[in-house]
Every structure is written in structure tokens, then in C-alpha cells.
Amino acid sequence: MNKILILDFGSQVTQLIGRRLRELNVYCEVYPYNNFPAPDDSVKGVILSGSPCSVRDANAPQVDLSLFRGKVPLLGICYGAQYLAHRCGGKVEQTDSREYGRAMLYVVRPDSPLMHGVSPHSQVWMSHGDTISRLPEGAEVIASTQDVANAAFQFAGEPTWAVQFHPEVYHTVDGTKMLSNFALTICGMKGDWTPASFIDTTVAGLRERIGGDKVILGLSGGVDSTVTGVLLNKAVGHNLTCIFVNNGLLRKNEYEDVLESYRDMGLNVIGADASKDFLAALAGVEDPEAKRKIVGRLFVETFDRYARQIEGARWLAQGTIYPDVIESAGIPGIASKIKSHHNVGGLPEQMNLRIVEPLRMLFKDEVRRVGRSLGIKEELIGRHPFPGPSLSIRIVGEVTEEKLDALREADDIFIRGLRRYDCRGLDFPSASDPRVKAENLYDAVWQAGVILLPVRSVGVMGDERTYKHTVALRAVVSTDGMTADWFRFPYDFLADISNEIINKVPGVNRVVYDISSKPPATIEWE
């Protein structure tokens, strides 16, 4: 499959470059700058990302430009632009003050293919402490701002471009147009990467890779594992066995409800109750990373145990998606790992199954589009994301049966309340398709849940003093989970939910609402 290769130098917004290209139906892959496959004929262009580093640092990230410069179209963004200038003989200097925020771009060379159709005066977003004070020999300016003379440039006689701003972010008004010019015009990509083409390519690839082996899939009832299951079923049919593990950390009645929901989908699903193993391993554990890794380890060990009972099982399938990979990876010394996911972290060193992750390069909204193209029913496609470690990371601190019971009841009240609140006529778009007005708050919210806090507070119930738990409601809107904003609920909804939780959930006497966005907070608390 033809693609554009994006080399990540550690910027927290590198994934947005990929998102913008995917929105143009252009297939791309993102790799760390120091660990990417050798470019072959399928690579039609390369993009160098931004970075928190300076090209002048002794340990600045570097890449061998000779692998692709002059051979395929090349676009440097922010650090990528400065790296091109620095390595090719230009001069990069530290500015008196960090150039951050909105700036007005003035197109100097409207005939440049990268600037075709871009407004002569267009807002862009700057984020850098260095600036290119002198261009390399053979490079020429194609756009400037008031403070940055060499805001964009190109090399004469070769398909190499660079911009010191971020075309991938929302605040760069014509950024998508520039990326479109690069991908579709300069690189010659056809823009034909659609959900249907993804399905055809993925199914064919799975058949070739897996052959006649048997596959075990961890089916959770969530969007990612559901789409993974249907894709694998199309590829290997009866050689797929789906196992739904009861880890003792699921939502109220979820074990039974999930098994029931798949009965009419033609998937071979069996249940595995390992709840005692998980709860025993989590006893006394408070560190969130430790909890994630324990859940991940037991999750895989459970599948490994079941695999030995299925003759010919060679593969463990997981519904890993791209935000899981980004947040769990990080580039040592440059990009931070935000958290471990059980899909991509905590695997035992010795495992008898090979991993297959067909959705690994997709964002959540892309997974939903693929699911709809597969004909999966909307009640499954529209489900909110749920963390792999389940409720273990929605209990801040040690996990106990008492805390789980309280959290399940509070969460059930919250989710049922979202579903029954009629918001037709209100200005709430659907989280899965912003072009459609939501009928209830569940569909308007991208992800919601309750967190049990390690905080007790004084209260009064009747004539008695109480000293009980506090729970936090969390609800966000997002498109891919990489960024998110807190949801603006009607006050009457919050009042009703708070009253119902306090009146019906033993051990809880206080409800708060989390109004933190991501960043700086994450969606989950742990």
C-alpha cells in the first residue's frame, strides 16, 4: 500500500499530522525518528515532525537525510524544518523570546506547489524557541511572517519543502490545504484510503500473515475489540475464538450483557471467569502503573492458558489503537510515556502466542467508521471507550470488593442517566458524528465514567453525621482521545445524578464533577 512516512522527533502533536492526512483519505504511518523501516517503493513522501529539542543541542535527534532527500518528496515541520536548514548548511539560532502562538503568514511564492490555493494572508501557529536565520544554499523563501522571515522555504530543483509553523494544528487556518498540496499534488497520493479500502487490505493481509493458524481474541464489548473481531472473522472465519474475560473489574452486569450482545454476530465467543485471580493480584497495590501492568500480565496469561486448550492456536489478537501506542511508547529522553496500556505494555517475556493488532494505526473515530462499513450495529459502534485495565484505574488507590461495589453502582446510575436524558432541541452534537444532533446525553458525550477517590468527607444524612467516600463524575468530548474537553452538562442533570448516587450508593456522601481538559489532565485519573 502506498503511504507517507512520518518521522516523529518527539512532538506531542505529531499524531495530528497523521490525523490530517487520514482526513484527506491518505494512508500514512508514524514511526520514531530512530526506529523506522527502510523506505521502499511504497513510500511516496516523508514528513519530519516537530520536537521539544533544539537542533543545536549536542544530543539533538538526528536522521540520515540521504535515505530519502531527493528521492521522494520531503516536508520538514518546525524542528523538521530547522533540522533541514541546519544539516544542509543554513543557520539556526536561538531567539530572544520563544515564538509561540498565532502569527500571520504572508505567501511570498504563490506559485510554489506547497502554497497553491493558500490565502495570501493566513493565520498559522508557531511553537519554537529557535529560528532559521539563514537558509541553506539553493533554498528560497516561499512564505514569511512579521517576525519569522524564513517561515517556509523550498529547495530549488528538488522536492523538498519546510515550514517553521505547525500546519497540522487547528489554529493554522490553511494547514490542511498545505498538507493536501504536499500529499496529493506533490507526492501524488490518490486520496483513496477509505474504510472500505482499509477493510479489503487488512483482511487480505491478515489471511496472508495468519494462514491456517487459529487466533484467540480478547473480546471486551468495546468498539475496538468488536471491530477487531469482525475483521478477523472475515479473514480467518472459524479459526477465530473470541474469549471474554471476567477480570472482576467490569461494570455492573457487563459480563452477562457482553456475552448476550454477540450471540447474533456469528462470532465464536466463550466466557472465562478469572476474577479471583485479578483481585488477588491487585490486593494492596496502589500505584496506577503497577495496576495496569498486573491487569495486562494476567490478561495475557489467561489467554495463554486458554490457548493451550485450543489446538493450533498461534495468535493473540488485540484491539490496540493508535492513541494506545502513542501514550504507551514515548521516545526515550525526548517524548514522555503518559501511561501503560494492557494492549501494549505489561506482556510477559515468555509468551506462547504471537500478537496481531489490525487496528494499531487507527484513531477511535476511524475505527468507528470502519465498524459502520462492516455493518456492525450502532449500539456497539456508539459505545463509549473503556480503559483496558477496567475499573482498577477508576479506583484511585487500592482495589477492594467494597470499593468496586460502590463504584459499579455509581457508574451505573451515571450512565443510565446519560441515556435517558432527552437533549433533542438542545445544542449537543453527537460525539460519534458532530454533524448529527444527539438525542440523549450518552450520544453527545465521547467518554464518561465515575472515579472513586481516596477521600472521605463529613456529611449529614437524616440526623446522623457521616464520614464516607467521594466520587468524581468524568465526561469529555473528543475525536480521538489524544485531546479532550470536559462536557458542559445541564445543571439539572448534574443535580439529579448527584442526588441519586448519594441516596442509593452505600458508602458515598459527596459527588464532584471533573472540569479538567486533556491536556493537561488525562481522561482517566490513573
Side-chain angles (χ1 to χ4, degrees):
M1 177 185 295
N2 290 341
K3 65 175 110 15
I4 289 179
L5 199 63
I6 302 172
L7 302 190
D8 182 13
F9 287 101
S11 169
Q12 292 292 343
V13 294
T14 297
Q15 75 281 354
L16 289 180
I17 305 172
R19 280 204 55 77
R20 298 296 172 255
L21 294 180
R22 299 284 183 85
E23 290 167 359
L24 297 167
N25 295 329
V26 170
Y27 182 67
C28 60
E29 294 180 359
V30 182
Y31 290 96
Y33 75 94
N34 56 358
N35 185 20
F36 60 92
D40 56 23
D41 290 342
S42 68
V43 176
K44 302 303 178 184
V46 174
I47 295 178
L48 308 179
S49 83
S51 174
C53 300
S54 167
V55 296
R56 299 176 296 104
D57 293 343
N59 59 347
Q62 301 187 44
V63 68
D64 184 1
L65 293 175
S66 67
L67 292 172
F68 26 76
R69 187 183 170 197
K71 300 174 182 177
V72 295
L74 181 61
L75 173 63
I77 294 176
C78 197
Y79 177 92
Q82 294 168 1
Y83 185 76
L84 279 169
H86 179 69
R87 296 293 295 178
C88 298
K91 189 173 184 179
V92 177
E93 296 180 299
Q94 185 176 13
T95 59
D96 293 334
S97 61
R98 180 176 172 85
E99 294 170 332
Y100 182 85
R102 294 175 178 85
M104 186 60 65
L105 187 75
Y106 300 92
V107 177
V108 177
R109 289 285 306 275
D111 59 327
S112 170
L114 189 68
M115 294 295 158
H116 178 72
V118 174
S119 172
H121 305 110
S122 179
Q123 176 182 284
V124 297
W125 190 264
M126 294 283 189
S127 180
H128 56 88
D130 292 345
T131 193
I132 301 168
S133 58
R134 188 183 71 239
L135 291 180
E137 185 177 351
E140 54 188 0
V141 177
I142 59 175
S144 303
T145 70
Q146 182 176 350
D147 297 319
V148 182
N150 302 312
F153 60 94
Q154 67 184 31
F155 284 83
E158 67 174 86
T160 301
W161 285 261
V163 295
Q164 283 205 77
F165 51 87
H166 287 274
E168 69 272 26
V169 303
Y170 172 79
H171 299 291
T172 298
V173 175
D174 283 332
T176 298
K177 177 60 179 172
M178 297 176 202
L179 291 174
S180 173
N181 288 339
F182 179 74
L184 301 178
T185 303
I186 296 171
C187 297
M189 295 291 286
K190 295 182 179 179
D192 56 359
W193 190 74
T194 63
S197 68
F198 171 82
I199 292 168
D200 292 342
T201 302
T202 301
V203 168
L206 289 170
R207 285 174 180 159
E208 180 179 357
R209 183 181 180 195
I210 295 170
D213 294 341
K214 292 187 178 179
V215 185
I216 298 177
L217 166 66
L219 202 56
S220 68
V223 178
D224 306 331
S225 69
T226 299
V227 174
T228 299
V230 175
L231 277 172
L232 282 163
N233 191 48
K234 287 176 69 70
V236 302
H238 66 276
N239 282 336
L240 172 66
T241 299
C242 301
I243 301 174
F244 178 48
V245 175
N246 181 8
N247 58 16
L249 307 167
L250 302 175
R251 291 167 287 197
K252 186 177 180 179
N253 301 324
E254 187 168 20
Y255 186 56
E256 297 79 12
D257 291 346
V258 167
L259 289 176
E260 180 66 27
S261 67
Y262 287 111
R263 287 186 176 178
D264 62 347
M265 294 184 64
L267 298 179
N268 177 24
V269 185
I270 59 177
D273 190 351
S275 55
K276 292 182 179 179
D277 297 335
F278 281 81
L279 294 178
L282 288 167
V285 178
E286 296 186 0
D287 180 72
E289 276 293 287
K291 288 193 287 186
R292 285 178 175 274
K293 290 182 178 180
I294 287 170
V295 173
R297 174 177 57 80
L298 289 176
F299 182 84
V300 174
E301 288 177 359
T302 301
F303 278 82
D304 204 25
R305 186 166 64 249
Y306 272 82
R308 290 194 292 269
Q309 303 172 22
I310 301 174
E311 185 178 354
R314 298 288 183 270
W315 298 87
L316 171 64
Q318 298 191 132
T320 307
I321 62 173
Y322 190 51
D324 299 340
V325 177
I326 293 172
E327 292 189 340
S328 300
I331 300 174
I334 298 177
S336 300
K337 179 175 78 172
I338 298 173
K339 57 192 175 186
S340 295
H341 289 260
H342 81 273
N343 285 1
V344 291
L347 300 180
E349 292 183 5
Q350 298 294 326
M351 190 176 67
N352 296 327
L353 299 174
R354 287 174 288 176
I355 299 293
V356 58
E357 298 169 318
L359 305 180
R360 187 179 178 87
M361 298 302 292
L362 297 190
F363 291 92
K364 178 70 73 174
D365 56 326
E366 295 172 329
V367 174
R368 286 197 168 104
R369 289 200 293 270
V370 169
R372 292 188 178 99
S373 187
L374 285 166
I376 299 173
K377 49 192 175 184
E378 192 63 30
E379 65 188 74
L380 290 173
I381 293 300
R383 286 195 76 184
H384 289 178
F386 190 62
S390 307
L391 296 181
S392 71
I393 59 167
R394 289 186 176 174
I395 294 175
V396 180
E398 182 185 5
V399 177
T400 67
E401 286 278 14
E402 177 197 4
K403 292 178 181 177
L404 282 167
D405 289 342
L407 179 55
R408 286 192 185 100
E409 291 300 323
D411 184 78
D412 184 61
I413 290 170
F414 187 30
I415 298 303
R416 285 190 293 105
L418 291 172
R419 291 188 184 279
R420 71 170 178 258
Y421 192 99
D422 188 343
C423 63
R424 286 174 293 186
L426 302 178
D427 189 23
F428 289 132
S430 168
S432 61
D433 188 349
R435 296 167 297 181
V436 178
K437 293 294 183 182
E439 295 187 359
N440 58 66
L441 288 177
Y442 185 88
D443 291 338
V445 169
W446 192 79
Q447 182 172 348
V450 177
I451 298 91
L452 185 71
L453 305 182
V455 174
R456 292 178 183 267
S457 63
V458 174
V460 177
M461 289 185 173
D463 294 326
E464 296 184 359
R465 175 186 183 275
T466 63
Y467 190 60
K468 298 183 178 182
H469 288 294
T470 300
V471 297
L473 308 181
R474 182 71 160 143
V476 299
V477 287
S478 181
T479 57
D480 51 33
M482 298 306 303
T483 59
D485 195 12
W486 61 279
F487 188 80
R488 274 65 170 171
F489 281 121
Y491 288 159
D492 63 327
F493 171 79
L494 289 174
D496 290 345
I497 294 301
S498 176
N499 288 337
E500 188 173 355
I501 288 175
I502 291 172
N503 288 334
K504 293 183 178 180
V505 181
V508 174
N509 70 350
R510 192 176 297 269
V511 177
V512 299
Y513 183 45
D514 181 353
I515 59 170
S516 307
S517 296
K518 177 185 179 180
T522 54
I523 296 176
E524 300 294 342
W525 279 45
E526 290 197 337

